[in-house]
Amino acid sequence: MTASRFQHVLSSSAILLIAAAVTTISFTQEPAAAFLFPRLISIVFIALAIWNFARAALGLAKVGEGLSWKDSLNLLPGLIIALAFVFFAAKQFGFYTSSTIAFFAVYTIYDPAPLSSAIAWAKRITTTALFMAVMYGLFALLLKVQTPRGMYF
């Protein structure tokens, strides 16, 4: 087994475990009506995870060369922000407030525009506001999904 294939099998295994956990949680929480959308999404999520894992295990996926250590380290700040969002911020500050902070932080970290540019900051703020307006419209108004309520909203 090549290193890139091993990397793909390892990452698809992790995704499959996460998908199984999300599916289990979504089908064991009450009230059932509040978890209709997460249940539908988790079914699609686990189906895709199984398909991805099977392709990786059978060697059918064309995975290229895999990630270098440098590329992996470049992903680390975004991963830390995402984990902080999932395990702390969403419950503490509320879904929309913490999502705004997390999106803005990730966008700022990975945006190649210089931090000294006022136009780049205006673009980041505008994009974040538009993204959150779409998120609010999608989750709160269209899907009527219950989101974590925290200190703010």
Side-chain angles (χ1 to χ4, degrees):
M1 180 180 292
T2 64
S4 63
R5 183 171 171 204
F6 175 74
Q7 190 177 53
H8 190 106
V9 170
L10 186 64
S11 62
S12 65
S13 299
I15 291 169
L16 182 58
L17 287 173
I18 292 168
V22 167
T23 303
T24 302
I25 290 168
S26 70
F27 277 92
T28 57
Q29 299 299 308
E30 294 294 331
F35 288 90
L36 177 62
F37 178 70
R39 288 175 181 174
L40 293 173
I41 293 298
S42 68
I43 290 169
V44 173
F45 184 28
I46 197 156
L48 291 173
I50 290 168
W51 180 51
N52 187 42
F53 176 76
R55 288 179 49 82
L58 297 173
L60 299 174
K62 300 197 183 337
V63 295
E65 298 300 316
L67 286 176
S68 68
W69 275 108
K70 183 181 180 217
D71 291 337
S72 299
L73 289 176
N74 286 342
L75 295 175
L76 192 59
L79 181 62
I80 290 169
I81 291 170
L83 290 173
F85 168 74
V86 169
F87 291 111
F88 172 72
K91 294 175 187 164
Q92 185 69 23
F93 300 119
F95 178 76
Y96 298 109
T97 303
S98 59
S99 294
T100 302
I101 295 166
F103 183 86
F104 187 74
V106 169
Y107 189 8
T108 302
I109 289 170
Y110 292 113
D111 187 7
L115 295 176
S116 60
S117 169
I119 294 172
W121 282 106
K123 182 180 169 186
R124 290 180 193 116
I125 292 167
T126 303
T127 303
T128 300
L130 290 173
F131 176 76
M132 290 314 303
V134 170
M135 292 287 290
Y136 181 78
L138 179 66
F139 288 121
L141 303 176
L142 183 64
L143 298 171
K144 298 186 181 359
V145 175
Q146 290 183 359
T147 56
R149 301 282 182 221
M151 195 179 329
Y152 304 108
F153 70 99

